[in-house]
Amino acid sequence: MEKKKIQNVLKKCKDSKNSVEVLQELQKEFGFLPRDALCKVSDALNIPLVDLYGVATFYTQFKLHPEGKYLIAMCRGTACHVKNSKKLLEYLEKKLDIKSGQTTQDNKFTIECVNCIGACAKAPAMMINDEVYGDLTEKKIDKIIGELK
């Protein structure tokens, strides 16, 4: 399966020296950028591995680890910050026993901090996959996470 995914990437990017394009295709196939796949693509396309990692760690769109089924984007924009989103983020991290940027051991939840989700009127807010949850409190977070578990 992995071999087929790598072949798909190589087929689409065989003449490319554009690291961003290569990484986008690789992430499309795997959902993240596995180290062994990066090494194989680096060798096959003659793009230095350090270049691929440099691009992958520069752009936030690229993930070096698999994300959970539910991607929780906790808004840390101005409106949410003023309404104590930092405290709610800490509460969520404690509840799920992970830090921002990490995924739960069961691969169900990933937390990430984002600058803004565009839901300032509902501050403090978070987004889980494509759904916005606003006017957050610890109690609301408990309910939301409980329903998703």
Side-chain angles (χ1 to χ4, degrees):
M1 175 107 148
E2 180 180 306
K3 192 174 184 177
K4 185 175 182 177
K5 290 179 178 183
I6 291 172
Q7 286 173 344
N8 288 342
V9 172
L10 295 176
K11 188 176 177 181
K12 290 177 184 175
C13 301
K14 66 181 175 180
D15 297 321
S16 181
K17 294 296 177 196
N18 181 335
S19 297
V20 173
E21 178 186 12
V22 172
L23 293 172
Q24 286 171 330
E25 288 300 326
L26 199 55
Q27 187 160 287
K28 196 183 301 179
E29 286 291 331
F30 287 92
F32 72 107
L33 302 172
R35 178 169 171 65
D36 58 330
L38 284 168
C39 292
K40 289 175 184 168
V41 168
S42 167
D43 288 342
L45 297 178
N46 201 26
I47 299 173
L49 186 59
V50 69
D51 290 353
L52 292 177
Y53 268 104
V55 173
T57 56
F58 180 79
Y59 293 105
T60 58
Q61 69 176 300
F62 297 118
K63 309 297 179 202
L64 296 174
H65 304 284
E67 291 182 337
K69 179 179 179 182
Y70 300 107
L71 177 59
I72 303 170
M74 179 61 79
C75 184
R76 294 289 293 128
T78 303
C80 290
H81 175 75
V82 168
K83 293 199 173 184
N84 220 1
S85 66
K86 182 177 182 185
K87 180 181 171 217
L88 293 172
L89 172 63
E90 290 167 354
Y91 179 78
L92 182 61
E93 289 175 334
K94 187 175 179 181
K95 180 170 188 61
L96 295 176
D97 195 29
I98 58 172
K99 295 288 184 191
S100 179
Q102 296 180 334
T103 300
T104 55
Q105 287 191 344
D106 62 2
N107 289 322
K108 209 162 198 180
F109 298 97
T110 298
I111 301 173
E112 67 178 25
C113 289
V114 296
N115 292 330
C116 186
I117 61 171
C120 301
K122 296 179 179 185
M126 68 181 176
M127 203 168 169
I128 302 178
N129 296 345
D130 293 325
E131 190 166 342
V132 174
Y133 297 88
D135 301 311
L136 292 174
T137 62
E138 290 178 1
K139 192 173 184 176
K140 280 187 179 180
I141 288 174
D142 286 341
K143 184 177 185 240
I144 293 163
I145 298 301
E147 289 172 357
L148 296 175
K149 279 188 174 181

